[in-house]
Amino acid sequence: MGPSRAEDEAILRRLRIFLSHVGGCNSDLTNEGQLFREATSGRDSQPGSLSIDVLTEIMTGSGRADREKIFRFFEGRPDLQTPVEIGKDAHRELTYKQLIALVRECGVHPMQLLVNDPARYFTVMEAVGFIDISLGIKMGVQFSLWGGSVVNLGTEKHKEIFFDGIDNVDYPGCFAMTELHHGSNVQGIETTATFDKESDEFVVLTPNEGATKWWIGNAAVHGKFATVFAKLIIPSPSGDSDMGVHAFIVPIRSMADHSVLPGVEIRDCGYKVGLNGVDNGALRFHSVRIPRDNLLNRFGDLSRDGKYTSTLPTINKRFAATLGELVGGRVGLAYGSVGILKASVTIATRYSLLRRQFGPPDQPEISILDYQSQQQKLMPMLASAYAFHFATAYLMDRYSEMKKTHEDAVVADVHALSAGLKAYITSYTAKALSTCRESCGGHGYAAVNRFGSLRNDHDIFQTFEGDNTVLLQQVAADLLKQYRAKFKGAPLAVTWNYLRESMGTYLSQTNPVVTHRDEKMHLRDPRFQLDAFQFRTARLLHTVALRLRKHSKRLGAFGAWNRCLNHLLTLAESHIESVILAKFNEAVKRCQDPDARKLLKLLRDLYALDRIWHDVGTFRNQDYVAPNKAKAIHKQMEILCAEVRQVAGPLVDAFGIPDSLLRAPIGLQSGQYSEYTHYVGFSD
């Protein structure tokens, strides 16, 4: 049962006294009381008897069995749990041991899942991320990157030789794309693989310092093979022919004794800000010879006599096809980032429900989550975790469809959607981690409570598998491509369909009656919310297209793009928020349980209005939201935060993260303070 009306009034009285203590607040307490009563008036009608299993089933779906299998295995293996204090070398060996145990003892085969059921693969990746984020990344390097490059860029002969060894981790490997001088600009890499016709081999060469392969996961300690991206060079009497960037399998350590092979030079990149369970290394190749068959030849092949063939006519098309097959890494990072957000919000929310501070004499202190400031820090994050979950679930479905059909339209859609969601979600989670830490005060600073390790391990998500700023530009470029296609009468990609209507309707004069509507029913109407998001995207797209056309006349295409870059990034973020909200709406409609649906709608409303308020200046500048409406949106957001607070505990419980894997004393479901004091050495 929820608190009584008398308890509500007592909380309000304590809030008044607290405000008088901190001083400097001239708020109208009558209005404050009205706001508080609005927020709690529906408390008794809220689904207090909601089964956590119903919501957990919604959040885990078909992946629940895999999650529980993995959780049970690691809960029963304390020797595989990562301690709070662990050195780099020990952490690397533990992470490798965890990966081997996952495959050979727990019986989970990520490589098989990646090929046959990608959605289950990403569910497993999220689950192992709760064990240790380093394990999640190690798994991604072994299977998604190294294994994925062999499966997606190679042909049957490569799968026959390497698949089983990758699957059972007999062939630990690397993905050697990034170089010291080139990261995002992969076409600019300088490593070469020159064909030697006499020996029927490629000669792999690092021609200069800048071509050193850098930040290569699995390279420093465990890797035996590497997929090396290099320019394929074909010599001829008339001059060398550069066929563009291709992928080659290069052995780097002996299968017999693990010694570094001749011509290969490996260095350790050392301690990092986070993810020190992953052995990142640097590689140089001194004329290393590999068989011609080690070319991963799905998109381009070389015959014994040195003749190059490809179904794709240009270097750019071959390069685009190659990178298009590697988007699985971005899908995994987006999904994994949501898991990290879930964990951090769970810890911060449970602690905020437990922690009590301030109150009048002779009366109990109140939970810090009863303070409006704490609610507005954490409750939108909780809503966002749910929103991101449904968006990445949709991305996984589209990715699975892409792997089955290989349709060009689906490939293009997944490429842009994975870039946008990876960039948006990882950037949001990075900021949220710091806010969660701060929301837990000094106790959030204790390493055992995990915010530090979560924040440090996650930080790189913003820049690997594509720098977020670069990825958002890819989304903006695709939007502009769709914009041009619309005016040529071409069909739009599925995710972009709303632009057809928005560009024809939303850009017309805004209705003054609608822009001033401020009643609760209107603001919580999903049609208003999605219309607002899509109006903003359409407006940004239309105006940036005009700006680019104007500036390109004087500055050229590159200069115009750079001149409008911030506008383009805002456009991409706006579009991704529209997609996220649309998928949240669909999740609410699909939900059959009435209590769960109420909760999802509550979270959806909070996510939508929080994002509108966050960018209210744009809506005001575009005359889409009048001043009175902006004020009403802010008020509704405050009320929604207070409403979500009342069910925050069940909502984080529904993420289904076991205490033994969450491992933060202040974030446990019960006994938080006891566990915390035991950790530092007190016996009772």
Side-chain angles (χ1 to χ4, degrees), residues 278-522:
V278 181
D279 53 314
N280 292 88
L283 299 171
R284 287 182 180 175
F285 303 98
H286 302 284
S287 297
V288 174
R289 290 181 172 270
I290 59 172
R292 178 172 52 87
D293 279 347
N294 282 27
L295 166 67
L296 294 173
N297 61 336
R298 178 180 170 189
F299 297 116
D301 202 2
L302 197 68
S303 66
R304 176 68 182 85
D305 61 359
K307 182 180 179 181
Y308 183 85
T309 57
S310 175
T311 57
L312 301 170
T314 67
I315 287 177
N316 286 340
K317 286 187 178 295
R318 291 193 293 271
F319 179 73
T322 298
L323 291 193
E325 286 298 323
L326 303 175
V327 298
R330 293 174 186 170
V331 178
L333 287 180
Y335 200 73
S337 184
V338 179
I340 295 167
L341 180 62
K342 291 175 184 176
S344 61
V345 170
T346 297
I347 297 167
T349 298
R350 286 180 178 165
Y351 174 76
S352 297
L353 288 166
L354 170 75
R355 183 73 164 178
R356 297 179 180 275
Q357 292 292 292
F358 298 105
D362 303 321
Q363 292 194 39
E365 295 179 301
I366 67 170
S367 163
I368 62 173
L369 200 52
D370 283 322
Y371 291 108
Q372 190 181 74
S373 57
Q374 192 80 344
Q375 290 172 8
Q376 292 191 23
K377 287 178 183 177
L378 297 180
M379 297 302 93
M381 291 182 195
L382 178 53
S384 294
Y386 274 79
F388 298 166
H389 171 87
F390 296 122
T392 52
Y394 170 72
L395 174 60
M396 285 195 303
D397 289 342
R398 292 292 282 167
Y399 179 79
S400 297
E401 181 183 355
M402 181 192 81
K403 300 305 291 183
K404 291 176 183 176
T405 67
H406 300 287
E407 293 179 5
D408 290 343
V410 181
V411 171
D413 195 23
V414 171
H415 180 77
L417 189 61
S418 62
L421 285 173
K422 182 268 183 186
Y424 185 89
I425 291 171
T426 58
S427 293
Y428 183 97
T429 298
K431 296 180 180 71
L433 283 162
S434 290
T435 301
C436 286
R437 204 293 300 160
E438 294 162 12
S439 298
C440 294
H443 295 314
Y445 196 63
V448 70
N449 288 321
R450 299 202 61 207
F451 289 121
S453 60
L454 289 172
R455 183 173 58 188
N456 290 347
D457 287 348
H458 177 274
D459 194 60
I460 191 61
F461 281 42
Q462 299 174 92
T463 49
F464 69 3
E465 289 293 318
D467 178 276
N468 284 356
T469 301
V470 175
L471 294 183
L472 288 174
Q473 290 180 70
Q474 292 179 12
V475 175
D478 199 71
L479 284 165
L480 287 163
K481 179 181 176 182
Q482 299 286 339
Y483 183 80
R484 290 190 293 269
K486 187 263 182 186
F487 289 107
K488 293 179 181 177
L492 300 185
V494 174
T495 309
W496 278 243
N497 270 341
Y498 74 87
L499 289 174
R500 183 179 303 283
E501 180 183 354
S502 65
M503 286 185 287
T505 303
Y506 297 137
L507 296 183
S508 62
Q509 181 68 32
T510 52
N511 186 331
V513 175
V514 176
T515 62
H516 284 78
R517 287 188 65 182
D518 62 0
E519 64 272 19
K520 171 183 173 181
M521 183 178 296
H522 170 67

Side-chain angles (χ1 to χ4, degrees), residues 27 54 86 143 168 212 272 306 340 424-425 473 589:
S27 300
V54 173
I86 185 170
F143 302 113
N168 60 28
T212 305
K272 306 183 292 290
I340 295 167
Y424 185 89
I425 291 171
Q473 290 180 70
K589 291 178 182 177

Side-chain angles (χ1 to χ4, degrees), residues 530 534 577-587:
L530 191 57
Q534 294 179 347
E577 286 186 347
S578 297
V579 173
I580 292 169
L581 182 58
K583 298 310 157 189
F584 208 157
N585 284 341
E586 292 173 11

Side-chain angles (χ1 to χ4, degrees), residues 203-267:
V203 181
V204 182
L205 177 68
T206 302
N208 54 57
E209 178 183 71
T212 305
K213 296 295 182 181
W214 207 272
W215 290 128
I216 310 304
N218 266 2
V221 179
H222 299 125
K224 294 182 183 294
F225 297 89
T227 294
V228 176
F229 288 80
K231 292 181 177 179
L232 193 163
I233 307 297
I234 304 175
S236 71
S238 59
D240 294 349
S241 297
D242 181 351
M243 307 310 297
V245 175
H246 288 64
F248 303 82
I249 296 175
V250 181
I252 60 174
R253 287 188 175 92
S254 166
M255 290 296 296
D257 60 10
H258 202 62
S259 60
V260 177
L261 292 176
V264 179
E265 188 177 359
I266 303 177
R267 295 292 181 267

Side-chain angles (χ1 to χ4, degrees), residues 69-89:
K69 177 182 180 180
I70 293 167
F71 290 165
R72 283 195 302 270
F73 174 76
F74 281 96
E75 285 174 332
R77 291 291 302 273
D79 60 306
L80 295 177
Q81 292 189 6
T82 305
V84 176
E85 300 179 35
I86 185 170
K88 170 173 64 66
D89 294 340

